[in-house]
Amino acid sequence: MDPRIPRLRRKLAAIPFQPLRSHSFGEEQHQFGLGPKLTAARVAAFEAERDIVLPEAYRQFLTNIGGSGAAPFYGLVPLERCSLLVMNPREEAGTPRGFSRAGAGAHEGDLFLHIVEMDCTDVCVLAVTGPLIGRVLIGNGDGYWGPNVSSATDFLDWYERWLNHMSAGRDNRALELTSPRLRAHPNRHRMAPKI
């Protein structure tokens, strides 16, 4: 097991009880709960069905932490609902690129797994083939913006960054985190009644 797994479990368990944490867009959907862990056999069956190999950090999360639930935006999509996408070709230099469903025989291009539920046509994907393998990208399926590649080296680092930013009460536009200072009056602690 990856040594980061126990640390991530502890951090996730503490997040809902931290009064000065950031608020994550969509947290009311998953309420920081996780779906059941997946068996190695279930993950292997998913890989065989789609003829892919999941990046190790993501596989470690699914089999040792949870198969769905708590994550940025509306949360992790259950593995059986994850779809394979390909990045659309660039129309003009410097323009955003969208994503489309990967058809049969799409293995000649880079493949991305849609892993986190966002909003409308926005997508959060994990590269499963190509030079970005293991990295998380956020963009718009129709190509209105992005895609933006996370600087986190793998899924576990990306997930821990989300937890760290929440715990520290930080804003993070890419992860849709809103800090308490933007949600409350700056002198709220001074206005509380004395007991």
Side-chain angles (χ1 to χ4, degrees), residues 110-128:
D110 298 342
L111 293 174
F112 302 88
L113 189 65
H114 183 203
I115 59 167
V116 173
E117 191 63 46
M118 287 181 73
D119 199 12
C120 300
T121 60
D122 293 344
V123 294
C124 180
V125 298
L126 179 69
V128 294

Side-chain angles (χ1 to χ4, degrees), residues 59-78:
R59 181 185 293 109
Q60 287 279 327
F61 188 94
L62 295 175
T63 59
N64 293 297
I65 296 182
S68 62
F73 311 105
Y74 292 115
L76 286 174
V77 176

